[in-house]
Structures are given as C-alpha cells and as structure tokens.
Amino acid sequence: MNYQVIIPAAGSGKRMGAGYNKLLMNLAGRPIILHTLDVFETDPNCSRIILVIHSADEPFFTEIKSRYTKIYIVYGGNERQYSVFNGLKAAEAEGIILVHDGARPFIRPETISRLVQSARECGAAIAAVPVKDTIKKVIDLEVIETVDRSSLWQVQTPQAFRFSVLESAHEQAQKEQYLGTDEASLVEKIGHTVKIVESDYDNIKLTTPEDLYFAEAIIKKRNR
Ligand code: CTP
Ligand code: MG
C-alpha cells in the first residue's frame, strides 16, 4: 500500500540547546535526521519523501540528498504547521500521506503500515501510546482533579491521512488562522474522525538533551 511522507525538519531545536538544528546532531555515529530518513527510504511502500528544511541547513541537506532516491526538498515556515503546509504543496494530490517528525528516528515499519491501512479505511489515523503516569489538573500549584487515565493517550507521529482530508484541514486552518500542535487537531476541527493506532514507547521525540541518553539506550537494545 503506497504512501508519501512529509518530514518536517525545519526547526531550530531550541530546547535541545545545541545552538544549531538538533536533527544534525550525532546519534550513534550519524546525524539524527538520517536515522529517520532511512526508515522511509528503505520502505518499499513509501513512494516519496518530502523533506522540509530551513535554508540555514541547506548545505548539509544538499550534501546528503544524493544518497537518497525519494527525497524532494522544500523550505519550511516559522511554525511547524506552516512547514507541513509547504510540504503538502509538493505532494502528489492523491492517496495516503503521512506526516512524521524528523526528530522521531525510532518509528517502526510495522506501525507505519498499520497507520496507512487505518487511514485508507477511515481517512485519518495517528500513532499514540496509553499514558503511563497519573495526570492531575492543576491551577496555581493546587490540584483541581485527578484525570481518569483510562481514556488518555499520548500522541506521536506518524499521522496518516487521505490526501484530501489533510488538504481540507490545512486550508481551513489557514483560513481561520488556527494554529494546532499536530495535524490531527486540524482534522478534528473540520469534524472528521481520527483513529488511534497503538504505537510503542520507543517512538520518542528527541526534544531535550536527556532524550539523547534514552536514544542511545534504544539503539543499544535494538542492536542486541
Ligand atoms: N519543525 C519544522 N518547522 C518548524 C518547527 C519545527 O519543520 N518551524 C520540525 C522540527 O524540525 C522537528 C518537528 O518539526 O522535526 C517537531 O518539532 P520540535 O520537536 O518542536 O523541533 P524544534 O522546533 O526544532 O525544537 P524546539 O521546539 O525545541 O525549538
Ligand atoms: Mg518546536
């Protein structure tokens, strides 16, 4: 089942604090973004990788592009949502399209294929894991209530959509100047159902420096 993927990689990695885009940082001997790109480059069902970059990182990406056959490079915007929207314009307007953060190198091919399947059936499907911790609602450092955890899921990427669904959602958000934190929130806004595909806890987003320790541990575990 073929699909295209948009990979937003145009952030600046402020919370990682490296002073440059975190995706170019080294993880087990290679830049983080190459770990992510390899998953899709080697997936025979992936027909196109739309890689969204910042112009400051162009020298790096021009250098690595020749090693990949599926990559189209486009420029990002100053919010993740705008980067994805730019990516969408470079996609073929048909079939299933995924959006996957460049900062999540541990996505499993098996999860990708379940997402593609679910998006084909329902139009929109997102990777997520059940919340493990007890979550409380707090105002001014005072607990208001303990939220029922059984219905809470922690959302990840990939998020998979029928192309027409993601396009309508983005166009509507643009019109209303709505800025969501993920693609699914835009799709929810247009009243479309979004399904969950249970992913795993390895699929972390590398956000702060300690995530690099977790990442090294995951790689070690997988190499065993
Ligand atoms: N991203 C993007 N365009 C932006 C902002 C983010 O393409 N304007 C990408 C990032 O490169 C990353 C993904 O979206 O792969 C998820 O964003 P995040 O983890 O927040 O990365 P950064 O925005 O780079 O980090 P920070 O928020 O700490 O600055
Ligand atoms: Mg960010």
Side-chain angles (χ1 to χ4, degrees):
M1 249 182 308
N2 273 15
Y3 68 90
Q4 314 171 72
V5 64
I6 298 171
I7 301 187
S12 56
K14 253 190 231 112
R15 285 169 289 176
M16 190 61 81
Y20 58 95
N21 187 351
K22 63 185 178 185
L23 300 181
L24 312 192
M25 288 172 78
N26 185 64
L27 173 63
R30 315 172 61 227
I32 291 169
I33 187 66
L34 299 195
H35 293 267
T36 309
L37 289 172
D38 285 356
V39 176
F40 294 97
E41 178 73 18
T42 57
D43 181 351
N45 292 323
C46 177
S47 59
R48 179 184 296 213
I49 299 171
I50 300 154
L51 181 60
V52 190
I53 70 162
H54 192 281
S55 55
D57 300 326
E58 188 165 13
F60 170 83
F61 284 111
T62 310
E63 210 267 306
I64 61 112
K65 189 178 179 289
S66 59
R67 291 182 240 163
Y68 294 88
T69 59
K70 302 176 184 173
I71 289 182
Y72 284 68
I73 288 181
V74 304
Y75 293 101
N78 51 14
E79 295 286 350
R80 181 185 172 284
Q81 184 175 314
Y82 305 146
S83 292
V84 172
F85 190 57
N86 287 353
L88 203 52
K89 292 181 219 153
E92 272 198 84
E94 60 177 29
I96 298 299
I97 187 142
L98 267 59
V99 179
H100 182 63
D101 288 329
R104 289 188 193 268
F106 301 118
I107 181 60
R108 290 180 196 278
E110 185 254 340
T111 306
I112 295 172
S113 60
R114 283 192 293 133
L115 282 160
V116 173
Q117 177 67 36
S118 181
R120 260 177 86 121
E121 286 161 14
C122 314
I126 63 177
V129 286
V131 164
K132 290 195 230 181
D133 295 321
T134 296
I135 306 279
K136 294 189 194 283
K137 186 172 174 189
V138 174
I139 295 177
D140 290 335
L141 294 183
E142 190 176 310
V143 173
I144 304 299
E145 65 168 311
T146 301
V147 187
D148 175 19
R149 190 175 57 194
S150 65
S151 62
L152 293 182
W153 288 70
Q154 204 170 311
V155 165
Q156 309 171 335
T157 67
Q159 302 198 341
F161 309 93
R162 262 184 232 127
F163 183 88
S164 56
V165 171
L166 186 61
E167 187 184 44
S168 309
H170 264 274
E171 278 170 359
Q172 191 62 28
Q174 193 89 338
K175 223 183 269 168
E176 291 172 10
Q177 303 226 314
Y178 172 73
L179 201 58
T181 50
D182 69 347
E183 279 57 60
S185 64
L186 312 186
V187 169
E188 292 153 37
K189 269 227 150 203
I190 61 167
H192 199 289
T193 309
V194 177
K195 288 283 187 183
I196 292 285
V197 165
E198 185 161 0
S199 174
D200 60 82
Y201 294 99
D202 277 7
N203 186 27
I204 57 171
K205 182 160 73 70
L206 305 186
T207 307
T208 55
E210 56 273 18
D211 292 330
L212 295 175
Y213 295 114
F214 299 132
E216 298 281 356
I218 291 167
I219 288 178
K220 234 181 247 164
K221 177 186 78 172
R222 290 189 176 184
N223 286 341
R224 266 208 300 268

